[in-house]
Amino acid sequence: MQYALLAYTPPEDTDRTTRPIPDPLADRLDRPDITGWARLHAAETATTVRAEEPPLLVDGPFIDTREYLAGLFVIEADDLDGALAVAGDLLRHTRPGTAIEVRPILAGRFR
């Protein structure tokens, strides 16, 4: 069984793209029980796609708080438009009311 551990950081933590992962944390990322991780760009880079007709695009991670994170996809795309196209395709196969937040990954590894 695998678990997703979601780390939240204060919004004023703005130097993430230039700051390396601290050594003690980097060492822990190599533990065998951690099978994957992703360091995401800031929340301002997120785009949310809602399953409406036509699909509704919203800048930011503005998912309603009553919604919960139900899954995570990692995809390859040339740019945001390509990633949004994949998100739109996935939404056609999800439950009504589903929203997908699209955010570039800063760094990560999945095994």
Side-chain angles (χ1 to χ4, degrees):
M1 179 178 288
Q2 295 181 318
Y3 295 90
L5 306 178
L6 304 175
Y8 291 86
T9 189
E12 61 272 10
D13 186 15
T14 57
D15 67 339
R16 300 182 68 249
T17 58
T18 58
R19 186 182 65 225
I21 296 173
D23 287 341
L25 177 58
D27 291 344
R28 284 168 176 79
L29 295 177
D30 288 331
R31 293 171 25 164
D33 57 339
I34 296 179
T35 60
W37 61 273
R39 190 176 188 200
L40 303 177
H41 279 276
E44 295 80 28
T45 65
T47 303
T48 301
V49 186
R50 293 203 167 270
E52 297 181 13
E53 195 55 47
L56 176 64
L57 297 180
V58 181
D59 289 337
F62 303 118
I63 305 294
D64 290 342
T65 55
R66 60 185 166 83
E67 295 168 332
Y68 64 94
L69 183 64
L72 170 69
F73 303 95
V74 177
I75 65 166
E76 293 284 337
D78 290 337
D79 52 26
L80 179 60
D81 289 339
L84 293 174
V86 173
D89 182 56
L90 293 172
L91 277 174
R92 285 195 288 274
H93 306 287
T94 61
R95 299 171 56 154
T98 298
I100 296 176
E101 180 183 309
V102 177
R103 192 182 312 183
I105 293 176
L106 182 60
R109 180 186 67 220
F110 293 88
R111 293 185 244 168

